[in-house]
Amino acid sequence: MIVLLVVLALQGAGDGRVPVPKVQIGVTVRPDTVTVGEPFTVLVRVRAPLGSAIAFPDGPDSGAVVEAVDPRTVRSAADSGAVDVTAAYRLVAWDTGARSAGLGAVRVTGPADQLLTLREAALYVRSVLPRDTALHVPKPERDILAGARPWWYRLLAALLALAITGLLLWAWWRRRRYRRDEAQVVDAFERAEAEFARIDALGLVEAGERGRLVALAVDVTRDYLAARLPEARPSLTSGELLGALQSRREIPADRLRVLLAEADLVKFARRNVSGERARELSLHARALVRDVESAVNPRVPDARTTPASEVRAA
C-alpha cells in the first residue's frame, strides 16, 4: 500500500506563477498483510526543497506490539532540483488485526520547516491459527495398555535378578574363602619339606629323568628362600641371587653357589648328570633349606637339620 501525502506551500505575492509543492512524503508498507512474527518493511520517502534537512524517527520502541527487527537505514537519491531521501524500517508485529507502524513524525527544517506525522503506515496482521479452532477434531487418545508386555516378561526379569544375586553371593563367598585360605598359608619350611617328599615319591632317577630331579629340587630351594628372605626374589638369576644374599650370614654361600652352578648346567646347558649325582644334589638342596631354617627361625630344633656329613660328601 502506497500512501502519498502532499503538503503544499503556496507562493505568496500574486506573481501569477503556478504554485509548486514544497514538501512531498510517501509511505509504503511491504507487504501490507502479514502473520504474527513475520517481518515487513516500511519505506518513508521525503522530497523537500534544496537546502532542507530531514530527520527521520528512530522507529517504534522495543517491546511494543510492533517493534524493529533491524536498525533504520537512510538512502539519498540523486536529484539536482530537490532533496530526495528514503528511510527503510524492517519491523515485526506481535498482535493480530489492523496495526499502525508507530514510527512517529518526520521533521523537515530549512526553507520549509514542517513536522509530518506518519499515520498512514498501517498494515493488517492475521493469526497463524486456523480460522475456526472449534472445527478441529483431535486424534483419539491411545489405549494405555496397548503397549503392555506379556506376563512372562516379569517372570524373566525376576529370574534374571535372581541369577545376578546368586552370582554376586557366589563371588562374595569365593572371595571370602580365598582370603581365609590366604590367611592360613602353610609355613614356608613345611611346604618345602612336603615338596621334597613329593619329588622323592616320583622316582625320577629310576624313570631316567635325572635332570628333572635336580631342577625340581633347586626350584623348591629358591621358592623357600623367596618366602623366607625378601631380597631372594624368584625373578633373580643365579648370579643375582648370590649377590643379593651375600650379606646374609644365615646363608651358606659356598654350598648355595655350587648347587646353583650345577643346576644351571643341567637346566640350561643340558649337561648330563648321573643318577647318583642327581640324588646328591637333591640331598644338598634339602640340607641347605634345613640349615637356613635353623638359622633364620631359632624356634626350630636342631634335630630338624640334616647332619653335615650327608652334605659334605656331595
Side-chain angles (χ1 to χ4, degrees):
M1 178 182 66
I2 301 178
V3 179
L4 181 62
L5 295 180
V6 180
V7 179
L8 302 178
L10 299 178
Q11 298 277 353
D15 53 4
R17 292 181 298 175
V18 179
V20 296
K22 280 297 205 77
V23 178
Q24 296 176 332
I25 183 170
V27 180
T28 304
V29 180
R30 299 177 181 171
D32 57 1
T33 301
V34 294
T35 58
V36 175
E38 180 183 358
F40 61 94
T41 303
V42 176
L43 299 175
V44 179
R45 182 180 180 183
V46 177
R47 193 168 185 272
L50 291 174
S52 300
I54 303 173
F56 292 96
D58 293 332
D61 296 333
S62 177
V65 175
V66 178
E67 61 179 355
V69 178
D70 298 322
R72 177 203 64 197
T73 61
V74 178
R75 175 174 52 86
S76 299
D79 192 340
S80 59
V83 178
D84 192 344
V85 184
T86 301
Y89 299 85
R90 192 164 182 263
L91 310 175
V92 66
W94 300 112
D95 200 0
T96 59
R99 297 294 167 189
S100 174
L103 297 180
V106 178
R107 177 173 292 277
V108 180
T109 58
D113 192 0
Q114 298 184 30
L115 184 65
L116 308 175
T117 303
L118 304 178
R119 297 177 180 176
E120 292 74 13
L123 75 156
Y124 183 80
V125 183
R126 56 185 176 84
S127 174
V128 296
L129 297 176
R131 293 182 179 274
D132 190 355
T133 56
L135 299 178
H136 179 67
V137 179
K139 294 182 179 179
E141 61 182 7
R142 295 182 178 180
D143 187 357
I144 60 175
L145 299 178
R149 296 175 177 176
W151 63 269
W152 53 268
Y153 266 71
R154 296 183 179 179
L155 178 60
L156 182 61
L159 292 176
L160 182 60
L162 185 62
I164 293 175
T165 304
L167 287 174
L168 292 176
L169 290 175
W170 176 80
W172 171 81
W173 173 82
R174 181 162 182 167
R175 183 177 180 84
R176 183 179 179 183
R177 179 181 177 184
Y178 174 78
R179 289 183 175 179
R180 184 180 63 225
D181 294 343
E182 189 179 29
Q184 299 176 354
V185 176
V186 180
D187 181 74
F189 178 74
E190 294 178 0
R191 185 169 62 248
E193 285 289 298
E195 287 297 316
F196 281 127
R198 185 182 65 83
I199 293 172
D200 291 341
L202 293 177
L204 296 176
V205 174
E206 291 77 7
E209 299 186 17
R210 299 178 294 275
R212 185 182 176 193
L213 173 62
V214 176
L216 291 177
V218 173
D219 288 344
V220 172
T221 304
R222 295 201 57 164
D223 290 344
Y224 164 78
L225 293 175
R228 274 288 183 259
L229 308 174
E231 59 266 44
R233 299 188 302 274
S235 60
L236 297 178
T237 63
S238 297
E240 292 172 343
L241 179 62
L242 291 171
L245 298 178
Q246 63 181 356
S247 61
R248 284 280 190 173
R249 297 182 178 181
E250 309 95 325
I251 304 298
D254 294 337
R255 293 165 54 192
L256 180 60
R257 183 179 296 105
V258 171
L259 177 64
L260 294 177
E262 290 204 43
D264 287 347
L265 291 174
V266 174
K267 291 168 60 177
F268 305 115
R270 304 288 183 145
R271 180 180 178 181
N272 192 18
V273 61
S274 64
E276 182 180 358
R277 186 56 180 168
R279 288 192 182 94
E280 290 176 355
L281 291 174
S282 177
L283 290 174
H284 192 326
R286 180 174 295 185
L288 190 145
V289 168
R290 292 179 177 179
D291 290 345
V292 173
E293 181 68 16
S294 297
V296 300
N297 194 8
R299 67 179 177 80
V300 178
D302 293 341
R304 295 178 64 179
T305 61
T306 302
S309 59
E310 290 186 25
V311 179
R312 287 189 171 83

